[in-house]
Amino acid sequence: MEKDPKKEFYEKLEAKGVSRRDFLKYCTALTATMGLSYSCVGKVAEQIEQAAIKPRPPVVWLHFGECTGCSEAFLRTPDVGGIILETISVEYHETIMAAAGHQAEKSLHDAVEKYKGKFVCVVEGAVATKYNGAYGKVADRTFLEIANDVVPKAAATICLGTCACYGGVAAAAPNPGGYKGVGDALGINPVNLPGCPTNPLNLLGTILKYLGKETIELDDYGRPVFAYGESVHDNCPRLKHYEEGNFVSEFGSKEAELGYCLYEMGCKGPETYNNCPTAKFNDATSFPIQAGHPCIGCSEPDFWDSMTPFYEES
Ligand code: FSX
Ligand code: SF4
Ligand code: F3S
């Protein structure tokens, strides 16, 4: 007897430690992240079930100049990460694949040829452009060569993390290697999901919109408006204190315990566009400001240069 694919999907999630109740909890968080009303939770859950049942889109995942924090962010949130891995078919990913050396190179080549024009390319990390890309190599090929070879063969490209989007830490001054984001380095317009790291819910929301063939509205920096349309400050739980002038001036102070505003500690929430206060991290547990740390503007282009020093008074 043929197995019920929906049942099979839930069994697979269960095996990853994600109960049906957990799944619905993440669908609720995702619905809010995607800017939809609460009444759409059922529809979002159904979209994910359908995505997992249908042939999943092949994904080639590249790593260039970065810290892999963006992959870690979803691999270490097993619930959201587990759901993501059920909606896509990862054909190549250096951090999680078993292959190494020549075998790994072959699997990249084979995946790109087999799924030419059909795969989604997820890129983590910036591309070195000076000196023919000499400042960044994998398997004796520069990041620039690999990007020029693989990215044009993809059906769509998603830049994951501020490094892939705009250069990030590798492009911080004086940037000797001429690191750039993928869009700038290749002269293309990818979907940019910045953050250092990117919130895994924003990746999942983007994948679902892509699979549902929905138009993804982007802002001037290539970021989906559903996730990056409002500033951190707009939705900050400490906003009332900002308006009333209750500021924290040092870490560990009495004011910090009271949850006062972190603006005077250098918080960049007013200039930073991201949905951290509503989506949150670690399976929707917390985000920097909730944990008492000022926002450092990690989803903005050039934040390592333009938002520093992170701790000086504003
Ligand atoms: Fe950069 Fe992401 Fe910061 Fe790290 O992929 S955005 S350094 S969290 O890993 O690229
Ligand atoms: Fe705005 Fe930062 Fe204060 Fe929150 S903590 S209200 S984001 S300045
Ligand atoms: Fe980054 Fe600020 Fe959110 S530092 S994680 S954009 S609160």
Side-chain angles (χ1 to χ4, degrees):
M1 202 177 69
E2 226 178 275
K3 260 197 152 180
D4 173 2
K6 203 160 139 180
K7 205 171 149 217
E8 221 176 329
F9 166 66
Y10 282 106
E11 279 171 6
K12 276 196 208 158
L13 281 187
E14 202 82 46
K16 287 188 166 104
V18 185
S19 68
R20 207 177 259 248
R21 180 193 283 256
D22 294 334
F23 175 68
L24 281 176
K25 193 175 105 194
Y26 294 110
C27 289
T28 309
L30 183 61
T31 306
T33 303
M34 291 168 83
L36 302 169
S37 80
Y38 185 69
S39 61
C40 298
V41 174
K43 197 179 146 230
V44 168
E46 206 182 300
Q47 253 186 309
I48 298 177
E49 285 168 4
Q50 287 305 319
I53 291 168
K54 282 190 198 152
R56 293 175 285 163
V59 171
V60 171
W61 200 298
L62 300 175
H63 286 272
F64 296 138
E66 43 96 37
C67 77
T68 308
C70 301
S71 273
E72 290 287 342
F74 90 83
L75 292 171
R76 293 188 188 277
T77 43
D79 297 3
V80 180
I83 297 169
I84 291 176
L85 292 176
E86 285 305 323
T87 57
I88 57 176
S89 172
V90 181
E91 301 296 323
Y92 179 87
H93 187 306
E94 284 157 19
T95 321
I96 55 177
M97 68 189 187
H102 293 297
Q103 236 185 1
E105 287 316 291
K106 186 173 177 317
S107 70
L108 173 60
H109 178 266
D110 292 353
V112 169
E113 289 312 311
K114 185 169 171 196
Y115 299 109
K116 207 172 183 171
K118 298 192 186 88
F119 68 90
V120 175
C121 188
V122 175
V123 186
E124 268 186 85
V127 179
T129 58
K130 265 196 200 168
Y131 316 110
N132 292 323
Y135 270 66
K137 281 185 171 183
V138 177
D140 211 27
R141 281 206 297 166
T142 64
F143 296 157
L144 191 59
E145 266 177 278
I146 300 170
N148 271 320
D149 174 25
V150 175
V151 172
K153 293 176 185 147
T157 301
I158 298 175
C159 289
L160 190 66
T162 301
C163 300
C165 299
Y166 317 119
V169 66
N175 191 7
Y179 268 92
K180 288 182 179 172
V182 176
D184 271 358
L186 303 192
I188 58 164
N189 294 313
V191 173
N192 286 331
L193 301 180
C196 192
T198 304
N199 192 312
L201 281 174
N202 292 342
L203 174 61
L204 183 54
T206 304
I207 292 171
L208 286 185
K209 282 183 183 279
Y210 174 77
L211 293 178
K213 300 194 169 34
E214 284 177 50
T215 309
I216 304 176
E217 191 195 339
L218 304 177
D219 70 8
D220 291 347
Y221 294 122
R223 304 177 290 200
V225 171
F226 78 83
Y228 300 89
E230 291 177 342
S231 75
V232 169
H233 181 76
D234 285 338
N235 296 301
C236 182
R238 298 179 188 232
L239 189 57
K240 183 173 148 283
H241 290 301
Y242 175 88
E243 284 160 357
E244 289 175 2
N246 300 321
F247 296 107
V248 179
S249 51
E250 53 184 307
F251 284 106
S253 63
K254 188 83 194 139
E255 291 80 11
E257 273 171 42
L258 292 169
Y260 285 176
C261 169
L262 307 176
Y263 190 67
E264 290 194 352
M265 289 176 75
C267 181
K268 307 297 188 299
E271 302 131 74
T272 304
Y273 288 78
N274 205 343
N275 57 359
C276 315
T278 45
K280 301 190 180 178
F281 288 83
N282 296 334
D283 286 341
T285 306
S286 188
F287 78 108
I289 293 170
Q290 186 178 333
H293 196 289
C295 171
I296 60 169
C298 80
S299 53
E300 293 301 311
D302 305 323
F303 81 97
W304 291 100
D305 295 325
S306 61
M307 302 290 189
T308 44
F310 293 136
Y311 300 114
E312 211 175 51
E313 285 185 11
S314 308

